[in-house]
Amino acid sequence: MIESIDELKQTLESIILSGPLMEINFYQVNDNFFELSNEGIWVIDAGIELKFPSGIISAAWNSKLECYVLENKSVKTIYGQDNLYQLDNKNISELKKCVGLNVLNSSFKSMEFEYVADYTMRTEKEERFVQLILEFQNKSKIQIAFINYTLEENKGPSNFSFSIITELLISTKKIVEIKNVG
């Protein structure tokens, strides 16, 4: 049986509040991703995994559902394939300063999406998480969101909107404004 979004939110909140963040990892599939280190922003394509004392929370691409999900499973389990690699560099190391800190507040945003339910092209609607914002005891924040964006020549991504099928945004220096589209 599939958990309702409210039950999933309760499960995720209990994991987040179980104690300090123990580990944070970024995962990528393709070679290209955006890292805007001055802005504290990453746009990646596989997932982010947060480990807490009572479990794991991941925002990751689910290969079977062909969309991004926020669940209490590892990125590798959600993704379901073995062509992932872990991103790690000095900018991501900077983000790891949140390890050892407790989360004081978490806020979830969900939206309703329409999808094709079966071979007859019948559609159904389902509510899915599109964003999680964590505020730590030192007032730092991590924004994790499923997004689409505009890309202009010689510029980074801009004009963000929520999408569960495009890419994953992680922001640490500011909460990025993301439009509701659909």
Side-chain angles (χ1 to χ4, degrees):
M1 186 178 131
I2 297 173
E3 254 182 322
S4 77
I5 196 156
D6 292 330
E7 291 169 329
L8 180 56
K9 181 179 177 186
Q10 286 181 334
T11 299
L12 298 175
E13 284 177 331
S14 72
I15 292 170
I16 290 167
L17 297 174
S18 70
L21 178 64
M22 299 166 60
E23 196 176 327
I24 184 168
N25 294 306
F26 288 34
Y27 292 91
Q28 183 69 12
V29 174
N30 296 302
D31 292 336
N32 299 321
F33 61 93
F34 290 100
E35 180 175 50
L36 311 171
S37 55
N38 292 341
E39 297 175 51
I41 293 175
W42 293 265
V43 177
I44 61 176
D45 68 6
I48 181 172
E49 187 174 88
L50 306 163
K51 291 184 183 176
F52 292 92
S54 72
I56 294 173
I57 293 177
S58 296
W61 180 258
N62 183 312
S63 298
K64 286 183 183 152
L65 297 175
E66 295 185 349
C67 67
Y68 283 96
V69 297
L70 182 64
E71 294 183 357
N72 56 326
K73 298 176 185 167
S74 72
V75 169
K76 289 177 183 176
T77 300
I78 294 169
Y79 182 64
Q81 298 179 34
D82 61 4
N83 61 332
L84 289 172
Y85 67 93
Q86 189 173 331
L87 288 178
D88 205 4
N89 61 32
K90 67 179 175 62
N91 299 320
I92 293 169
S93 296
E94 186 71 19
L95 175 61
K96 292 187 177 192
K97 287 182 177 177
C98 293
V99 170
L101 299 177
N102 288 305
V103 174
L104 296 182
N105 292 305
S106 60
S107 73
F108 294 82
K109 178 173 180 58
S110 62
M111 292 176 64
E112 200 170 74
F113 291 91
E114 194 169 64
Y115 65 96
V116 176
D118 60 28
Y119 68 94
T120 67
M121 302 305 283
R122 180 178 56 87
T123 60
E124 291 183 8
K125 290 186 178 189
E126 185 172 275
E127 193 170 356
R128 295 279 178 113
F129 287 119
V130 292
Q131 178 173 264
L132 170 62
I133 298 173
L134 301 176
E135 183 181 343
F136 292 87
Q137 67 192 62
N138 67 353
K139 302 293 180 213
S140 64
K141 292 182 180 181
I142 296 176
Q143 176 186 22
I144 301 166
F146 306 136
I147 51 103
N148 197 354
Y149 54 88
T150 303
L151 195 57
E152 296 177 33
E153 196 170 335
N154 300 320
K155 292 185 180 178
S158 63
N159 194 27
F160 295 100
S161 59
F162 288 110
S163 170
I164 59 171
I165 59 170
T166 311
E167 292 194 83
L168 172 63
L169 170 110
I170 301 155
S171 180
T172 59
K173 293 187 179 176
K174 66 178 181 177
I175 300 302
V176 174
E177 183 182 334
I178 305 172
K179 296 178 188 141
N180 292 335
V181 178

